[in-house]
């Protein structure tokens, strides 16, 4: 209860800060108009007082800039109090988790008494409500930096506080502090989330989302204030930090999937993955548009579009993944909720829509460039590269939104991973080609003069050409050595991608020298090096990958798989929690697969990886579906003989009857022939939809009961439970499950079926991501300038004097 009270206080204080900022904005514009009028009057009077022959200039009186210290201080104090209330609410939720207060639904759902302290802390952001609270907390802390900078106009602060208010509204409705009278049964944290990457992956993503709100607020605020150029320099460091943190979040999530989930890859183009990738791509475009705008202040329109779009797409991704709309198409999407869907739609879409409406209204007033940059300049190449990033983001956005779009007009469908892979490869090729050309040219210079300079460059140009050629040959040659396992067209594209990555890598290394860098700062050079390494790693590990499945072993059996000697040493049963361990000898090194069963979450199968610099040898277990072993599948028209304690029953699914919707019929009927001993009869298994849900008939055959358990109308098959007449269905399911579970563990100790794959040079993926992130962070620190609390520091310094 106290947690929600604190959140309501935070919302009220944020609303008050928003209103105080609005008052400050009105006063600011009133003073600004008065200052402009006074300046015009002074200039007109000075002009009129001078004779045409007089050349003496009269000094105009100093005009004070608009300033309302009282309103500014009031807004700052109210906002600071709101952030303190948000921090208090976060502290309360952490206390609830750490002290095992399971009367709170959130604690019961995501924590347990035996959970370690570290994972009790990370359970804070395991669910929707907690992750929203983390987002609001980080957003508020970043807002303190905004409010303590005098160089940021009140319009941007108003927009920022309004965004915080919108996030708080969502959080208030979701309510992380729902409490019951009696303690609930604690589910505990999902075992897949009890991992080091859970500690860092979500906070980095939400830190990126929170930082994206700053360029959004500065862009919209500048439109409201009429200051169309000065916001770029203030927004660039925050945009760089958002780009870096979103990238780190994505990269950590990719490694998490690779190491823990066991499906063999690190990026599956899942909607939840795409929801954070899209704003990261647009943020990359935003950073480069801003760099152009700093050099050419009239080129600000693309920065406005990208700043609003990046944050808007982060919110849109939140809507897609947390409303449940994509639940059938995403392994990570949160459950469906009409309340969540309507709430997110009613808050997010008006907010982003209003920002774009303001931009459209102000569009004609925005400065435009008098002339375009020549093609043979780094300015043009930077613009083209930013455009490619944004266009690829648009392609991913369309693919991610297809289920939503098709669901509106008919039956929902989804695109395949080849859609993303092919478009991603083409976009990468275009981006690398642009990076290659950008190294050759300066920022701004007439095309003809530049061509002449290139022709006269002499040895420097030849060294660049030689270096790029060597890099391209080496990277593509390594691909040849590992073998590209793709079709002819994709093989050509992969080789082009590797050659381009090698050329960019070589030229970027050369760019550390002033003789070859042509004005590129070293943070950008590091980022480009990391990008080339990352692209090469992705192409090697995916295009040159080999996979064999299934590979079966008996205990003690040795096989040569993909050039590696693999011996299955056998397994053993594990306790606390129950499960089993399967050990392998791979090239004389012992590795193991641990599979554990959790009552709430089922089996967790963690893959085993034989690490090496040249590539990983990846062994993923084929998951045994114990639940599927408790019933018997009956395909249409095919007899199935079932042996129960020496007695045989033959079942054949003959036909099924669909309900007549026009007559209001809601019954599904499945006709099954049963042969039991000398008896043959036809039974009907009915499933009826009613107000209380689905109910299923149970039919007695001899001394057994048959109940419909599952059905697959598309494949024409059903699954039935068979149990003795003196048992209840729940008792039968429990007994069958225990039997299937024991059989699965017994089988796993002496027999294994796995999928084996190689990931050539996958270490370059992780190395590239680290270099890219460090390069962006370096660029952000270079652009950061004075501390965000520099004004407060200077004020305290004056007081001490």
């Amino acid at each position: 209860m106290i947690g929600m009270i604190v959140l309501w206080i935070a919302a009220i204080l944020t609303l008050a800060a928003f209103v105080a900022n609005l008052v400050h904005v009105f006063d600011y514009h009133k003073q600004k108009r008065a200052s402009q009028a006074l300046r015009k009057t002074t200039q007109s009077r000075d002009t009129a007082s001078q004779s045409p022959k007089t050349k003496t200039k009269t000094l105009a009186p100093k005009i004070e800039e608009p300033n309302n210290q009282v309103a500014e201080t009031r807004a700052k104090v109210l906002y600071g109090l709101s952030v303190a209330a948000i921090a208090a609410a976060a502290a309360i939720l952490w206390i609830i988790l750490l002290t095992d207060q399971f009367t709170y639904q959130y604690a019961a759902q995501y924590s347990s008494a035996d959970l370690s302290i570290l994972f009790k802390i990370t359970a804070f952001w395991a669910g929707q409500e907690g992750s929203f609270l983390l987002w609001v907390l980080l957003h508020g802390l970043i807002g303190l930096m905004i409010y303590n900078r005098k160089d940021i106009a009140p319009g941007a602060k108003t927009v920022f506080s309004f965004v915080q208010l919108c996030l708080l509204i969502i959080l208030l409705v979701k309510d992380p502090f729902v409490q019951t009278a009696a303690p609930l049964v604690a589910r505990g944290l999902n075992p897949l989330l009890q991992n080091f990457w859970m500690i860092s992956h979500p906070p980095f993503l939400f830190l990126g989302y929170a930082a994206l709100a700053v360029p959004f607020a500065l862009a919209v605020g500048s439109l409201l204030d009429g200051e169309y150029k000065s916001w770029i320099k203030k927004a660039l460091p925050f945009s760089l930090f958002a780009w870096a943190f979103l990238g780190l979040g994505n990269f950590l999530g990719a490694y998490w999937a690779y190491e823990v989930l066991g499906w063999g890859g690190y990026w599956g183009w899942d909607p939840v993955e795409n929801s954070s990738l899209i704003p990261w791509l647009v943020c990359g475009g935003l950073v480069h548009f801003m760099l152009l705008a700093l050099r050419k202040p009239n080129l600000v329109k693309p920065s406005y579009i990208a700043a609003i779009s990046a944050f808007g797409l982060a919110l849109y991704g939140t809507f897609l993944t947390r409303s449940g709309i994509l639940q059938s198409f995403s392994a990570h999407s949160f459950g469906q909720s009409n309340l969540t869907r309507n709430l997110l739609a009613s808050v997010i879409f008006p907010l982003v829509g209003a920002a774009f409406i303001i931009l459209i209204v102000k569009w004609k007033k925005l400065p435009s460039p008098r002339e375009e940059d020549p093609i043979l300049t780094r300015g043009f190449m930077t613009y083209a590269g930013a455009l490619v990033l944004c266009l690829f983001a648009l392609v991913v956005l369309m693919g991610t939104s297809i289920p939503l779009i098709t669901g509106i007009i008919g039956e929902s469908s989804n695109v395949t991973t080849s859609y993303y892979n092919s478009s991603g490869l083409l976009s990468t090729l275009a981006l690398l080609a642009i990076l290659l050309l950008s190294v050759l040219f300066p920022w701004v210079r007439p095309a003809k003069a530049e061509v002449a300079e290139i022709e006269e460059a002499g040895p420097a140009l030849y060294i660049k050409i030689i270096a790029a050629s060597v890099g391209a040959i080496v990277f593509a040659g390594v691909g040849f050595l590992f073998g590209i396992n793709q079709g002819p067209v994709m093989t050509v594209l992969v080789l082009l991608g590797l050659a381009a990555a090698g050329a960019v890598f070589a030229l970027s290394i050369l760019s550390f020298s002033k003789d070859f860098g042509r004005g590129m700062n070293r943070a950008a050079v590091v980022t480009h090096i990391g990008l080339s390494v990352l692209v090469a790693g992705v192409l090697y590990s995916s295009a040159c990958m080999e996979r064999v499945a299934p590979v079966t072993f008996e205990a003690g059996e040795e096989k040569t798989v993909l050039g590696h000697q693999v011996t299955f040493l056998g397994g053993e049963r594990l306790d606390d929690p129950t499960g089993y361990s399967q050990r392998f000898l791979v090239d004389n090194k012992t590795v193991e697969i641990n599979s554990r069963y959790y009552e709430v979450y089922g089996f967790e199968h963690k893959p085993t990886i034989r690490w090496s610099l040249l590539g990983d040898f990846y062994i993923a277990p084929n998951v045994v579906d114990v639940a599927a072993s408790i019933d018997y599948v009956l395909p249409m028209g095919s007899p199935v003989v079932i042996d129960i304690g020496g007695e045989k029953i033959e079942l054949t699914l003959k036909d099924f009857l669909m309900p007549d919707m026009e007559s209001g019929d809601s019954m599904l009927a499945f006709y099954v022939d049963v042969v039991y001993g000398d008896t043959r009869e036809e039974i009907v298994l009915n499933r009826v939809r009613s107000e209380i849900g689905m109910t299923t008939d149970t039919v007695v055959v001899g001394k057994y009961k048959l109940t419909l358990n599952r059905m697959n109308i598309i494949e024409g098959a059903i699954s039935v439970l068979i149990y003795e007449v003196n048992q209840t269905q729940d008792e039968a399911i429990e007994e069958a499950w225990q039997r299937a579970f024991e059989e699965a563990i017994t089988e796993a100790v002496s027999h294994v079926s796995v999928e084996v794959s190689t990931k050539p040079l996958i270490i370059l993926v992780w190395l590239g991501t680290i270099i890219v992130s460090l390069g962006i962070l370096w660029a952000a620190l270079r652009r950061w300038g004075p501390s965000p609390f520099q004004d407060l520091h200077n004020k305290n310094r004056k007081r001490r004097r």
Side-chain angles (χ1 to χ4, degrees):
M1 185 64 181
I2 188 172
M4 279 304 292
I5 293 174
V6 173
L7 279 181
W8 273 105
I9 292 173
I12 293 170
L13 288 169
T14 303
L15 177 60
F18 170 68
V19 173
N21 273 308
L22 278 180
V23 173
H24 188 196
V25 168
F26 290 136
D27 290 345
Y28 176 85
H29 284 285
K30 183 178 179 181
Q31 293 179 22
K32 187 176 179 180
R33 287 193 296 270
S35 298
Q36 291 173 347
L38 180 59
R39 186 177 289 108
K40 288 181 180 179
T41 302
T42 304
Q43 290 174 350
S44 300
R45 185 176 62 249
D46 291 343
T47 303
S49 64
Q50 294 178 12
S51 64
K53 297 182 180 180
T54 305
K55 296 183 179 181
T56 306
K57 293 183 179 180
T58 305
L59 294 176
K62 183 179 180 181
I63 307 296
E64 295 292 335
E65 290 298 322
N67 185 25
N68 189 332
Q69 189 66 40
V70 175
E72 183 180 3
T73 302
R74 185 188 301 121
K76 184 192 300 184
V77 170
L78 288 169
Y79 184 85
L81 291 173
S82 72
V83 175
I86 293 169
I92 291 171
L93 183 57
W94 261 311
I95 291 171
I96 290 170
L97 293 168
L98 290 171
T99 55
D100 300 331
Q101 298 183 41
F102 298 129
T103 56
Y104 290 90
Q105 289 185 8
Y106 193 84
Q109 188 170 4
Y110 299 105
S111 184
S112 61
D114 59 348
L115 197 65
S116 68
I117 293 178
L118 182 62
F119 290 120
K120 285 181 180 180
I121 294 173
T122 58
F124 182 100
W125 48 79
Q128 283 205 50
E129 298 85 355
S131 57
F132 262 116
L133 180 53
L134 176 66
W135 188 351
V136 174
L137 176 62
L138 294 173
H139 185 276
L141 294 175
I142 289 177
L144 291 178
M145 302 181 188
I146 303 300
Y147 271 81
N148 282 283
R149 284 183 56 164
K150 289 185 175 295
D151 61 333
I152 293 181
K157 297 175 182 178
T158 304
V159 175
F160 196 88
S161 59
F162 184 72
V163 172
Q164 180 164 303
L165 182 62
C166 291
L167 295 176
L168 276 168
I169 290 172
I170 297 173
L171 186 60
L172 286 172
V173 176
K174 294 299 296 180
D175 188 2
F177 299 104
V178 175
Q179 194 172 12
T180 58
L184 301 170
V185 177
R187 287 168 53 93
L189 188 64
N190 190 319
L192 292 176
L193 302 182
Q194 296 181 37
N195 189 282
F196 170 78
W197 310 113
M198 178 62 181
I199 303 171
S200 53
H201 165 63
F204 274 127
L205 280 182
F206 286 111
L207 191 55
Y209 288 158
L212 273 180
V214 178
F216 173 82
L218 286 167
V220 178
S222 72
L223 292 172
L224 296 173
D225 293 334
E227 300 288 344
Y228 304 125
K229 298 179 181 179
S230 59
W231 70 279
I232 297 288
K233 187 174 181 180
K234 304 164 192 172
L236 182 55
F238 289 97
S239 302
L240 284 163
F241 277 115
W243 195 23
F245 291 131
L246 279 175
L248 282 170
N250 282 318
F251 301 151
L252 291 172
Y255 188 81
W256 185 1
Y258 178 73
E259 185 188 47
V260 174
L261 298 185
W263 58 274
Y266 45 82
W267 196 267
W269 299 107
D270 186 272
V272 171
E273 296 171 343
N274 295 346
S275 68
S276 55
L277 174 67
I278 293 168
W280 182 77
L281 291 169
V282 177
C283 189
L286 169 64
V287 166
H288 290 83
F289 285 137
M290 285 182 167
L291 291 172
L292 284 174
L294 286 179
R295 291 178 173 271
K296 298 186 67 173
N298 288 335
L299 194 63
V300 295
K301 288 182 177 179
S303 299
Y304 275 109
I305 297 174
I308 297 174
S309 298
F311 186 65
L313 289 168
L315 295 177
Y316 177 68
T318 301
F319 168 76
L320 285 182
T321 57
R322 293 174 182 270
S323 63
I325 287 178
L326 301 181
Q327 187 176 13
S328 301
F329 301 94
S330 172
H332 311 288
S333 181
F334 289 89
Q336 186 169 353
S337 167
N338 289 331
L339 172 63
T340 302
R341 181 186 306 176
N342 297 333
L343 174 65
L344 292 174
S346 61
V347 172
I348 290 172
F349 290 112
L351 173 63
V352 180
F356 275 111
I357 289 172
I358 295 171
L359 177 61
I360 293 170
V361 171
K362 296 279 190 174
W363 187 259
K364 290 185 178 179
K365 295 183 179 179
L366 298 179
S368 300
R370 296 182 180 86
E371 60 181 15
E372 300 294 335
D373 283 340
I375 293 179
L376 299 180
T377 59
R378 188 175 299 166
F380 179 86
M381 295 302 166
T382 302
Y383 183 88
L387 202 58
V388 168
L389 287 172
C390 293
L391 289 176
F392 181 47
L394 180 61
V395 171
V396 178
L397 175 65
M398 290 299 297
T400 307
S401 303
I402 282 295
L404 178 61
I405 297 171
T406 54
I408 294 173
I409 61 178
E411 186 177 353
S412 294
S413 60
N414 203 3
V415 298
T416 62
T417 56
S418 60
Y419 165 84
Y420 297 109
N421 291 335
S422 56
S423 59
L425 182 54
L426 292 173
S427 300
T428 301
L429 283 172
L431 188 61
L432 290 173
I434 290 168
L435 288 178
L436 277 173
L437 294 174
S438 67
V439 177
L440 296 175
F441 309 125
W443 271 99
V444 178
R445 190 163 299 182
K448 291 182 179 179
E450 177 57 24
V451 170
E453 183 176 328
I454 291 176
E455 292 174 349
E456 297 173 0
L461 178 60
Y462 296 140
I463 291 174
K464 286 184 178 181
I465 293 173
I466 293 171
S469 301
V470 171
I473 292 171
V474 169
F475 276 49
V478 171
F480 264 118
L481 290 176
F482 279 103
I484 299 174
N485 303 310
Q486 304 292 323
V489 176
M490 285 298 293
T491 297
V492 172
L493 292 177
V494 168
L495 287 174
L496 287 174
L498 289 172
V504 170
F505 177 82
L507 289 179
S508 298
I509 294 294
L510 275 181
S511 296
F512 275 108
S513 169
K514 293 182 179 180
D515 296 332
F516 301 98
R518 304 193 70 93
M520 288 186 66
N521 69 73
R522 294 190 174 182
V525 171
V526 169
T527 305
H528 292 172
I529 290 173
L531 178 63
S532 62
V533 172
L534 171 60
V535 169
V538 170
L539 293 177
Y540 289 136
S541 61
S542 56
C544 302
M545 178 186 66
E546 294 183 286
R547 178 185 287 123
V548 178
V551 182
T552 58
F553 292 88
E554 300 295 333
E557 185 176 4
E558 180 180 351
K559 290 184 178 181
T560 301
V561 185
L562 300 178
H564 295 264
Q565 293 298 317
V566 183
T567 304
F568 176 44
L569 300 177
E572 62 179 356
R573 184 163 186 158
L574 301 175
D575 295 318
D576 193 29
T578 187
Y580 54 87
S581 172
Q582 297 166 316
R583 296 187 307 280
F584 297 83
L585 191 66
V586 180
D587 297 334
N588 298 319
K589 181 178 180 180
T590 303
V591 295
E592 65 180 29
I593 294 175
N594 288 321
S595 301
R596 294 184 177 275
Y597 178 77
Y598 299 86
E599 185 175 351
V600 176
Y601 299 102
F603 264 110
E604 176 208 346
H605 302 273
K606 186 176 180 181
T608 185
I609 305 171
R610 175 73 163 85
W611 312 92
S612 72
L613 290 176
L614 293 179
D616 294 349
F617 189 70
Y618 196 97
I619 304 177
N622 286 338
V623 178
V624 178
D625 186 2
V626 176
S629 303
I630 68 175
D631 54 17
Y632 300 93
V633 179
L634 306 182
M636 181 67 69
S638 299
V640 176
V641 179
I642 302 169
D643 191 330
I644 305 177
E647 297 180 324
K648 294 183 178 180
I649 300 178
E650 181 181 296
L651 305 175
T652 306
L653 176 61
K654 303 295 291 185
D655 197 6
F656 66 89
L657 180 66
M658 296 292 291
D660 185 357
M661 298 301 179
E662 293 184 0
S663 63
D665 187 12
S666 59
M667 184 178 69
L668 272 166
F670 297 90
Y671 298 90
V672 181
D673 277 350
V674 181
V675 178
Y676 174 64
D678 297 330
T679 304
R680 176 186 291 271
E681 63 177 294
E682 182 182 75
I683 64 172
V684 182
L685 299 174
N686 296 318
R687 175 161 287 191
V688 182
R689 183 184 298 276
S690 63
E691 293 181 357
I692 61 173
M694 300 293 292
T695 58
T696 304
D697 290 345
T698 297
V699 178
V700 177
V701 177
K703 64 177 184 179
Y704 296 104
K705 292 179 182 178
L706 271 72
T707 300
L708 177 67
N709 190 35
R710 296 178 296 167
M711 57 185 180
N712 190 328
I713 302 300
I714 297 176
E715 295 183 2
I718 62 172
S719 299
V720 295
L721 293 168
I722 301 178
Y723 49 100
E724 295 182 359
V725 292
N726 60 352
Q727 287 183 301
T728 65
Q729 183 174 333
D730 289 342
E731 289 173 344
I733 291 175
E734 177 65 22
E735 181 181 311
W737 190 94
Q738 286 292 341
R739 183 175 61 252
F741 180 76
E742 291 297 329
E743 290 176 355
I745 291 185
T746 302
E747 174 73 7
V749 170
S750 59
H751 177 85
V752 67
S753 176
V754 295
E755 177 184 284
V756 178
S757 57
T758 59
K759 319 287 183 181
L761 294 175
I762 195 172
I763 192 172
L764 296 181
V765 176
W766 320 127
L767 181 62
T769 57
I770 293 171
I771 297 173
V772 167
S773 301
L774 290 177
I776 298 173
L777 285 173
W778 185 6
L781 293 172
R782 286 184 70 254
R783 296 281 180 176
W784 190 246
S787 163
F789 298 98
Q790 190 67 47
D791 296 326
L792 184 62
H793 171 74
N794 292 339
K795 188 182 296 183
N796 292 334
R797 190 175 180 183
K798 289 180 180 178
R799 287 175 182 172
R800 288 195 298 268
R801 288 177 179 175

